[in-house]
């Protein structure tokens, strides 16, 4: 139940970006989003008497994980799409993440990755490539955009392993508030230096901002942290293989983007791969 809900919610992040980016530059968009979520989470943590980290070292680990999972990953992904890299190509790049996490989980976290799980990871990657095959147009987008998408990939990969290793007891209310506040401070200078900071407050932008703040930043991120805390890093990361197929389904219903037989085959391979990775 929880993994399926996480995949569904996380998949809508690309949809929210597609709706909102025409009305605001990417870093400005993220700074506004993170600032709103920081206020909401800090207020909720205060009202519910949430525990706060008791040492500067714990705060530092939480901040580093937040910088990787939020500022680096989302900053890279949003800016890549803003620079013209197709969302399908960004999804392919992000789809490599489970393989990188599995490679790092062994030596860094002591997790054993079986041959069956490696087979599942490779099947998941093959499925992702099939789903977005029709969107792989190398002539679209800039080299900087592709580089930023790869930066986002490494951000969420390292952040997943770092969070599992150094923030096992993170409180979802106070910990998330710290992470988003740090990201506001870190990204604001980039918006000031490199962007116009002009926002067109169109109804589509307001909907996208509200959706990304409430559903993604509060709902999906909290589910991700719960899954990281309860499961192996490689198993949790394998769920990201389901994001591009699920995003394709959402785009079909919202934007009438058609699904061919290759996409359907890719979805089947992806689900089989995730099942192999997570089977007890």
């Amino acid at each position: 139940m929880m993994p399926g809900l996480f995949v569904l919610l996380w998949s809508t992040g690309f949809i929210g970006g597609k709706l909102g980016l025409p009305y605001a530059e990417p870093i400005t968009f993220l700074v506004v989003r993170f600032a709103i979520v920081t206020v909401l989470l800090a207020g909720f943590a205060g009202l519910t008497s949430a525990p706060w980290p008791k040492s500067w070292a714990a705060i530092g680990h939480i901040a580093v994980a937040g910088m990787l999972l939020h500022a680096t990953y989302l900053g890279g992904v949003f800016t890549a799409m803003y620079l013209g890299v197709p969302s399908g190509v960004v999804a392919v790049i992000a789809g490599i993440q489970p393989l990188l996490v599995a490679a790092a989980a062994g030596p860094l976290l002591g997790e054993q990755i079986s041959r069956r799980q490696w087979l599942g990871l490779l099947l998941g990657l093959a499925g992702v490539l099939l789903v977005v095959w029709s969107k792989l147009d190398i002539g679209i987008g800039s080299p900087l955009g592709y580089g930023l998408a790869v930066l986002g990939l490494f951000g969420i990969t390292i952040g997943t392993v770092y969070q599992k290793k150094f923030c096992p007891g993170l409180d979802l209310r106070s910990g998330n508030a710290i992470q988003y506040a740090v990201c506001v401070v870190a990204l604001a200078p980039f918006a000031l230096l490199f962007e116009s900071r002009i926002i067109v407050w169109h109804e589509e932008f307001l909907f996208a901002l509200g959706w990304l703040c409430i559903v993604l930043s509060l709902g999906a991120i909290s589910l991700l942290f719960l899954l990281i805390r309860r499961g192996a890093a490689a198993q949790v990361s394998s769920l990201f293989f389901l994001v591009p197929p699920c995003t394709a389904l959402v785009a079909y219903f919202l934007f009438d983007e058609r699904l061919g037989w290759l996409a359907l085959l890719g979805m089947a391979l992806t689900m089989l791969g995730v099942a192999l990775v997570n089977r007890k």
Side-chain angles (χ1 to χ4, degrees):
M1 177 66 179
M2 188 183 297
L5 180 59
F6 164 74
V7 170
L8 177 61
L9 295 182
W10 194 270
S11 300
T12 62
F14 286 103
I15 305 302
K18 183 174 181 177
L19 286 175
L21 282 174
Y23 307 102
E25 292 163 296
I27 303 302
T28 299
F29 191 174
L30 289 175
V31 168
V32 173
R33 170 184 171 183
F34 291 161
I36 293 173
V37 177
T38 298
V39 173
L40 292 176
L41 280 171
F44 183 60
L47 289 173
T48 57
S49 301
W52 292 83
K54 295 180 174 58
S55 68
W56 285 108
I59 293 174
H61 286 310
I62 291 172
V64 170
M67 284 289 296
L68 292 167
L69 288 168
H70 306 311
T72 306
Y73 170 65
L74 291 175
V77 165
F78 271 54
T79 307
M81 290 193 292
Y82 184 79
L83 292 175
V85 180
S87 59
V89 178
V90 176
V92 168
I93 295 172
I96 304 172
Q97 187 247 12
L99 292 174
L100 297 181
V101 169
L108 296 180
L109 301 178
E111 296 180 6
Q112 298 296 320
I113 311 299
S114 67
R115 291 181 179 177
R116 169 180 52 79
Q117 289 178 310
W118 276 115
L119 175 61
L121 290 166
L122 292 173
L123 282 176
L125 179 60
V128 168
L129 291 172
L130 284 176
V131 169
V132 298
W133 181 263
S134 61
K135 299 180 180 180
L136 286 176
D137 189 346
I138 304 302
I140 300 177
S142 67
L144 176 60
Y146 287 100
L148 289 170
V150 173
L151 176 65
L153 162 66
F154 281 99
I156 194 170
T157 299
I158 300 171
T160 299
V161 177
Y162 194 97
Q163 178 103 338
K164 177 72 176 179
K165 186 174 181 66
F166 294 107
C167 310
L170 175 138
D171 184 271
L172 296 176
R173 298 157 293 177
S174 59
N176 276 348
I178 292 172
Q179 290 189 338
Y180 284 117
V182 170
C183 290
V184 170
V185 174
L187 291 180
F190 290 94
L192 291 171
L193 291 174
F194 302 111
E195 296 185 350
S196 66
R197 303 174 303 284
I198 295 174
I199 299 175
V200 179
W201 297 96
H202 190 274
E203 58 185 14
E204 287 189 357
F205 175 79
L206 292 173
F207 175 80
L209 180 63
W211 183 271
L212 292 174
C213 286
I214 304 300
V215 178
L216 267 295
S217 293
L218 297 181
I221 289 294
S222 296
L223 285 174
L224 174 62
F225 288 178
L226 284 173
L227 290 169
I228 291 174
R229 183 183 301 173
R230 295 179 181 182
Q235 290 177 318
V236 174
S237 292
S238 70
L239 296 174
F240 284 90
F241 278 141
L242 294 174
V243 171
C246 193
T247 300
L249 282 175
V250 175
Y252 170 76
F253 288 108
L254 290 182
F255 305 113
D256 197 29
E257 294 184 3
R258 299 294 174 174
L259 298 173
W261 66 271
L262 275 179
L264 296 175
L265 175 61
M267 290 181 189
L269 284 177
T270 297
M271 289 186 287
L272 175 61
V274 173
L276 288 174
V277 172
N278 289 277
R279 186 167 64 86
K280 300 298 183 183

